[in-house]
Amino acid sequence: MLCAPVGTPSQHCRALAQVLVAGDVRGHFSHGLNRLEMYVHDIEIGTTVLDGKPEVVKETSATALVKGNNLLGSVVGNFCNDLAMKKAQESGIGWVVCGGSNHYGIAGWYTIKAVEQGLIDPSALMYQTFTIEHNGECVDMVATHEKEAAKLFGLYLWHKGALNWLEEGNKPVIIHVRNTLISITFSLWRDKEKIYTEATFYKKFQSSLPPTPVPETPPIHAANYSRGSRCCG
C-alpha cells in the first residue's frame, strides 16, 4: 500500500492509490505516482494529518460545509464528492465546500465518479467528447483537449503492442481526432515512458453556439480559500 510504511491507514492508502493511478492512466503524469514522494514527505513532517475523518460542519438538503481536518486530499475529496452525489440524488443538486484539505489529485477523478452515478459535475464542462479514427475503427473519448485525447488513444495502442518506438526509420501511427469544432490528424510514437504526438493537419469549424457569458465573481482571498465538490442530477 502507498504510504503504509509511514503509518497511513489502509483505506486512506487505497483512496490515494486510486486517484494517483487514474492520473497516470489518463496522461496527467504531473498528478500521478510521481507525486507520491510529496505525499509521504508531508505525512512524515506532519504537514498532512495521518489519520482521522472529515467532518460536516453545516448542511442543508442540498449543500454542506465540510472540515477536512488536514487529511490527505483524496480522502477529503472522496468524502465531499460522495456527499455531494448523495444530496444530488435526493434533492436534484448537491453542493459541498470544504476547508482544511490538501492536494487531491486530478479533478477529473471526481467528475468520473459523478458520471458513473448518472450525475453531472459542473467541472465536466472543461471536458469535450472526441471521436478517434484509426484503421477503420472509431472510438469516442472524453478529454480536456484534442492532444490529451490523442495521447490516451496512443496509450491504448501501446498496450496492444501497436505503437512504434520513436526511432529513425520507424513509421508513426496515424490517427484522426475530431468533434463538432475541430478535425486534427496526429502522428504517434512511443518512447520508454512517454507518448509523442505531432499534429500534421488541423481544421477548425465555425461554432453555431453563442459565447458563454462569464459571471462576475468576488475576489478570493488566500485566507478564505477552500476546495469544493458539486454535483447536479
Side-chain angles (χ1 to χ4, degrees), residues 25-133:
V25 169
R26 294 184 62 80
H28 291 286
F29 303 115
S30 63
H31 286 52
L33 287 168
N34 68 349
R35 280 187 178 263
L36 178 58
E37 183 180 357
M38 178 193 77
Y39 290 115
V40 172
H41 179 260
D42 287 349
I43 291 172
E44 286 179 328
I45 66 174
T47 303
T48 299
V49 174
L50 184 67
D51 193 9
K53 294 181 179 180
E55 301 174 49
V56 177
V57 179
K58 295 180 181 179
E59 67 177 327
T60 66
S61 59
T63 65
L65 173 63
V66 171
K67 183 180 179 182
N69 290 327
N70 204 27
L71 296 165
L72 283 169
S74 53
V75 173
V76 181
N78 283 336
F79 179 90
C80 293
N81 204 46
D82 290 345
L83 182 58
M85 291 190 292
K86 181 176 183 292
K87 290 182 177 296
Q89 290 167 336
E90 295 174 350
S91 304
I93 186 170
W95 193 285
V96 177
V97 176
C98 80
S101 184
N102 290 286
H103 190 274
Y104 71 164
I106 58 169
W109 167 256
Y110 307 95
T111 297
I112 291 169
K113 292 301 177 185
V115 171
E116 288 175 349
Q117 297 297 319
L119 304 170
I120 299 173
D121 188 318
S123 62
L125 298 177
M126 298 170 56
Y127 291 80
Q128 305 175 59
T129 299
F130 297 93
T131 298
I132 315 291
E133 298 178 7

Side-chain angles (χ1 to χ4, degrees), residues 219-231:
I220 298 176
H221 300 289
N224 299 323
Y225 176 74
S226 61
R227 294 186 176 93
S229 297
R230 56 273 186 216
C231 294

Side-chain angles (χ1 to χ4, degrees), residues 77-219:
N78 283 336
F79 179 90
C80 293
N81 204 46
D82 290 345
L83 182 58
M85 291 190 292
K86 181 176 183 292
K87 290 182 177 296
Q89 290 167 336
E90 295 174 350
S91 304
I93 186 170
W95 193 285
V96 177
V97 176
C98 80
S101 184
N102 290 286
H103 190 274
Y104 71 164
I106 58 169
W109 167 256
Y110 307 95
T111 297
I112 291 169
K113 292 301 177 185
V115 171
E116 288 175 349
Q117 297 297 319
L119 304 170
I120 299 173
D121 188 318
S123 62
L125 298 177
M126 298 170 56
Y127 291 80
Q128 305 175 59
T129 299
F130 297 93
T131 298
I132 315 291
E133 298 178 7
H134 171 64
N135 286 346
E137 178 184 12
C138 289
V139 176
D140 288 332
M141 190 167 290
V142 177
T144 54
H145 51 79
E146 59 275 6
K147 189 173 182 179
E148 181 187 56
K151 286 191 173 184
L152 286 172
F153 192 78
L155 188 64
Y156 162 70
L157 294 176
W158 188 341
H159 284 285
K160 286 180 61 178
L163 193 60
N164 288 331
W165 287 84
L166 181 62
E167 293 179 355
E168 187 175 353
N170 280 353
K171 292 184 179 180
V173 171
I174 306 298
I175 67 170
H176 306 284
V177 180
R178 61 178 172 81
N179 61 11
T180 56
L181 298 177
I182 57 151
S183 178
I184 305 177
T185 300
F186 281 101
S187 297
L188 303 180
W189 295 269
R190 73 179 178 94
D191 201 346
K192 290 183 179 179
E193 298 179 352
K194 294 182 179 180
I195 294 174
Y196 291 89
T197 64
E198 181 181 42
T200 56
F201 175 81
Y202 180 92
K203 182 178 181 180
K204 187 173 182 179
F205 304 111
Q206 183 67 37
S207 173
S208 59
L209 298 175
T212 303
V214 179
E216 294 185 3
T217 57

